């Protein structure tokens, strides 16, 4: 998969849609899961094809509720979830 994919970020309690390069998202998921890019590439492709949302949560910027989301792992200054 190439090009941009949709990701999301909580701002306050609001979920904001963004677009990021596929390779950048794969790198961040790999970082969060402590795996290499090749291990997570197919996983991210599957999530995108299933319509799942990759969500960044930064506690300093957000008070959104992530309790119903699947925790992927930590990223700098926050965490990543699948919703």
């Amino acid at each position: 998969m190439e090009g941009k994919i949709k990701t999301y970020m909580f701002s306050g309690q609001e979920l904001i849609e963004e677009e990021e390069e596929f390779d950048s998202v794969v790198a961040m998921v790999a970082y969060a899961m402590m795996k290499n890019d090749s291990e997570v590439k197919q996983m991210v492709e599957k999530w995108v094809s299933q319509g799942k949302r990759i969500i960044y949560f930064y506690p300093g910027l957000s008070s959104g509720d992530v309790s119903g989301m699947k925790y992927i792992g930590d990223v700098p200054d926050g965490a990543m979830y699948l919703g």
Side-chain angles (χ1 to χ4, degrees):
M1 182 175 283
E2 292 182 22
K4 295 189 177 204
I5 62 171
K6 292 179 184 177
T7 59
Y8 300 82
M9 183 182 84
F10 270 109
S11 178
Q13 293 184 355
E14 193 174 337
L15 199 56
I16 306 296
E17 183 179 300
E18 301 178 331
E19 284 193 353
E20 291 185 66
E21 291 294 329
F22 175 75
D23 290 340
S24 296
V25 175
V26 167
M28 192 60 80
V29 172
Y31 176 90
M33 297 181 83
M34 294 187 282
K35 296 183 177 187
N36 65 45
D37 290 2
S38 62
E39 288 182 88
V40 301
K41 186 175 182 178
Q42 289 181 339
M43 190 180 312
V44 173
E45 288 175 342
K46 182 178 176 183
W47 294 342
V48 170
S49 70
Q50 292 175 338
K52 295 188 178 180
R53 298 178 299 177
I54 299 168
I55 301 165
Y56 294 95
F57 178 77
Y58 300 101
L61 303 175
S62 175
S63 58
D65 182 15
V66 295
S67 62
M69 300 175 190
K70 181 181 177 190
Y71 173 75
I72 296 173
D74 290 334
V75 296
D77 299 324
M80 184 179 271
Y81 291 85
L82 191 61

